[in-house]
Amino acid sequence: MRKGKWNNILMMKLRTSLLGFAICAGSAVGFGAQTTGMTVDRIDPAMRDRIDRIASQVLEERGIPSASVAVVKGGKLAYTHAYGLAHIHPDVAATPEMRYSIGSVSKQFTAAAILLLQEQGKLSINDVVGKYVPGLTRGNEVTIRQILSHTSGYQDYWPEDYLMTPMMKPATAQQILDTWAKKPLDFEPGTKWQYSNTNFVIAGEIVEKVSGEKLFQFLGEHIFHPLGMKSAWNSDEIKLTSPDATPYIRNALGPLRLAPTEGSGWMFAAGELAMTAHDLALWDESLIAQSVLKPESYKEMFTEVKLKDGTGTKYGLGVEVTKRDGRRSIEHSGEVTGFVSDNEVLVDDGVAVAVLTNHMAGGASEIAQLVASTVAGNGKLSTDESQALAIYRGLQQGKIDRGLLAPNLNDYFSEQTIADFRDSLGTLGEPLSFKQSGEELRGGMAFHSYRIVYPARRLTLTTYTYPDGKLEQFLVEPAS
């Protein structure tokens, strides 16, 4: 449920899927009875092929059973696709209709619920938490803003990346708070940033007490129903059904195993939601269009919270606030047992990528970031990048155009050196991403560095170029 920190199946075709049983809209468990019509394809074929290649390669290299991906372009949902196997033995192909747990991506929905209540005049995010949840350590000092931004000091009740035995039994929010939110704070409120699921259990309790409704019901009325997010599901009360993705774990480098199951009550407002990538992308559309909250609420959510000494936290309210290739990104990853997710929203570019996987391995964030960069236009190469990539591809085949080389580099590329480049790089194939990462002048030459990305490997290329265009250096090494 904590923010996922772990980021070989060939791409499978879509299949039709019916959900296991009908439920009432707005119930405490799920919003819609079926998740049909989730397949969307309104994207350029070349871009589609690149997205498919990124996703399928990362799955194959990381050993992830399946991924469901949804892409927003120009502010609108443009592409959904599922890759790999949602269930193994018997093998069942993943489809866009299948739900996955989204883990800590749920936190942005909890934060939105708090902001909606503020808009309704029922609370202020500057209120102290003790006004709504009594008995917490220094509850008369810690504010709602601080719990939503992980600057409160309340200790995290689930920092581990595996399911501990006590968590296989049911729990309540009150039990979690009695155990972790009544301890001494880990630090003075507002002086540090430390990720803590406990913060969002407090936030969920506040939503329910102020609204008079269960958190999931409140979200259904104000977010899921208006946005048409029919697949939204409270997996903390009832686990996902057989037509949805099955969660897996791997012990060390062993085979895939069915993931153990958390007891009910442990995820709550910190990670209780499950849905399709399609419906998470509908939420992303609303973040870009600012259609659910008022502009001032989005500003609160998307603004980096500063510590008391002015240090930035790179976190807003329930979301990370960062830069991707110079573009503003509102993002979050998620992890519950057997599921890892990532949601990247380039709000100023109208681009978003939601990636849901059914294995606790790295990969979801990698797919999301590479696809977002591609869709936003960062897949287009500059002149320098195009030339460097062409030389790199040639060396992968044991070839070099010596007309491009200054005398020193020409000597460097002996037959043995070229063979070493070919033998070590050729098997890696085409990079998922090839981007310039630095540039400066030195020794009368232009220095460039490039970041080369593969599913399970990062390389750095450095070059020196004379004013006449001749290359003095072209070195490749593992990225630090």
Side-chain angles (χ1 to χ4, degrees):
M1 174 196 333
R2 66 186 292 281
K3 177 183 178 291
K5 73 177 181 184
W6 306 116
N7 292 263
N8 293 330
I9 310 300
L10 294 176
M11 192 166 55
M12 307 293 288
K13 294 295 182 181
L14 305 179
R15 72 180 184 90
T16 303
S17 173
L18 297 178
L19 294 185
F21 52 88
I23 49 180
C24 296
S27 75
V29 177
F31 172 69
Q34 292 186 346
T35 54
T36 56
M38 299 289 176
T39 301
V40 178
D41 190 354
R42 307 188 191 99
I43 208 159
D44 176 79
M47 186 172 291
R48 181 200 312 125
D49 290 346
R50 183 167 177 79
I51 293 168
D52 291 346
R53 181 170 164 270
I54 289 170
S56 58
Q57 279 196 22
V58 171
L59 259 65
E60 184 175 359
E61 291 292 331
R62 298 285 187 181
I64 302 169
S66 76
S68 187
V69 177
V71 177
V72 173
K73 186 175 187 292
K76 297 296 180 183
L77 183 57
Y79 187 57
T80 61
H81 201 81
Y83 309 81
L85 298 177
H87 186 85
I88 58 175
H89 309 310
D91 293 350
V92 178
T95 77
E97 288 79 17
M98 293 177 174
R99 290 176 289 208
Y100 295 65
S101 290
I102 67 171
S104 287
V105 178
S106 302
K107 289 179 170 66
Q108 57 201 261
F109 292 93
T110 302
I114 291 283
L115 290 167
L116 282 165
L117 290 169
Q118 179 174 256
E119 290 178 2
Q120 295 170 7
K122 296 180 179 179
L123 58 74
S124 166
I125 62 172
N126 294 316
D127 289 341
V128 294
V129 295
K131 181 177 179 180
Y132 307 100
V133 184
L136 305 183
T137 299
R138 297 174 67 175
N140 61 337
E141 300 175 56
V142 176
T143 66
I144 296 175
R145 185 190 299 274
Q146 287 170 335
I147 63 170
L148 296 181
S149 61
H150 297 299
T151 58
S152 68
Y154 288 115
Q155 189 174 101
D156 189 4
Y157 70 89
W158 194 1
E160 296 87 350
D161 291 296
Y162 68 98
L163 186 63
M164 299 81 73
T165 302
M167 295 185 67
M168 296 179 186
K169 298 177 181 180
T172 65
Q174 190 60 53
Q175 288 173 326
I176 293 171
L177 297 185
D178 287 344
T179 305
W180 281 275
K182 295 183 180 180
K183 290 183 174 184
L185 298 182
D186 282 355
F187 51 84
E188 287 295 304
T191 64
K192 293 183 181 180
W193 184 93
Q194 185 181 106
Y195 195 86
S196 174
N197 290 291
T198 307
N199 288 318
F200 277 78
V201 174
I202 299 169
E205 285 285 278
I206 292 173
V207 171
E208 294 194 346
K209 290 185 177 183
V210 173
S211 70
E213 300 178 74
K214 299 288 284 184
L215 172 63
F216 190 86
Q217 291 174 322
F218 184 85
L219 294 173
E221 292 173 15
H222 297 279
I223 295 176
F224 303 149
H225 179 75
L227 296 179
M229 298 170 63
K230 297 181 179 180
S231 70
W233 185 268
N234 182 355
S235 61
D236 199 29
E237 291 198 9
I238 296 181
K239 299 308 173 186
L240 291 175
T241 60
S242 57
D244 294 310
T246 300
Y248 292 96
I249 61 170
R250 179 178 277 114
N251 302 313
L253 303 180
L256 290 171
R257 307 283 186 191
L258 285 172
T261 302
E262 302 96 346
S264 63
W266 282 102
M267 294 186 289
F268 186 40
E272 71 182 9
L273 298 180
M275 62 187 66
T276 62
H278 172 285
D279 282 4
L280 183 52
L282 295 181
W283 164 249
D284 293 341
E285 283 187 359
S286 77
L287 295 181
I288 293 167
Q290 300 195 0
S291 61
V292 171
L293 306 174
K294 294 179 180 179
E296 52 267 33
S297 293
Y298 285 108
K299 184 176 181 180
E300 295 267 23
M301 180 183 264
F302 296 166
T303 297
E304 179 186 39
V305 171
K306 301 290 182 68
L307 301 179
K308 288 183 177 180
D309 65 2
T311 302
T313 62
K314 296 184 179 179
Y315 205 91
L317 305 182
V319 293
E320 293 176 77
V321 181
T322 188
K323 291 278 189 180
R324 294 284 179 205
D325 296 315
R327 301 170 186 270
R328 187 166 62 124
S329 180
I330 305 301
E331 59 191 57
H332 214 287
S333 57
E335 175 187 309
V336 293
T337 309
F339 290 104
V340 173
S341 62
D342 196 74
N343 195 42
E344 306 272 337
V345 187
L346 305 180
V347 288
D348 301 325
D349 299 274
V351 169
V353 181
V355 179
L356 312 180
T357 68
N358 62 334
H359 177 39
M360 292 178 69
S365 295
E366 188 170 19
I367 294 171
Q369 291 170 16
L370 288 169
V371 171
S373 178
T374 295
V375 175
N378 292 327
K380 298 176 181 177
L381 300 182
S382 68
T383 300
D384 288 337
E385 288 167 339
S386 295
Q387 183 191 47
L389 178 57
I391 297 170
Y392 179 85
R393 286 169 173 162
L395 286 167
Q396 286 183 299
Q397 301 173 41
K399 302 174 183 178
I400 185 74
D401 180 358
R402 294 189 177 276
L404 299 173
L405 312 182
N408 288 333
L409 190 58
N410 187 60
D411 291 343
Y412 169 81
F413 274 118
S414 64
E415 289 185 10
Q416 182 62 68
T417 301
I418 292 175
D420 287 347
F421 269 71
R422 179 197 63 214
D423 295 343
S424 62
L425 302 177
T427 57
L428 298 178
E430 185 71 5
L432 295 178
S433 176
F434 190 102
K435 297 298 298 179
Q436 181 175 310
S437 56
E439 180 179 11
E440 64 180 70
L441 293 177
R442 184 177 175 187
M445 297 174 286
F447 170 82
H448 294 88
S449 60
Y450 301 88
R451 184 178 66 250
I452 306 171
V453 177
Y454 289 96
R457 185 183 292 269
R458 301 290 186 278
L459 304 176
T460 297
L461 164 65
T462 56
T463 67
Y464 278 106
T465 308
Y466 285 109
D468 65 0
K470 295 285 188 178
L471 283 165
E472 177 69 6
Q473 177 170 302
F474 196 94
L475 301 181
V476 176
E477 59 186 9
S480 60

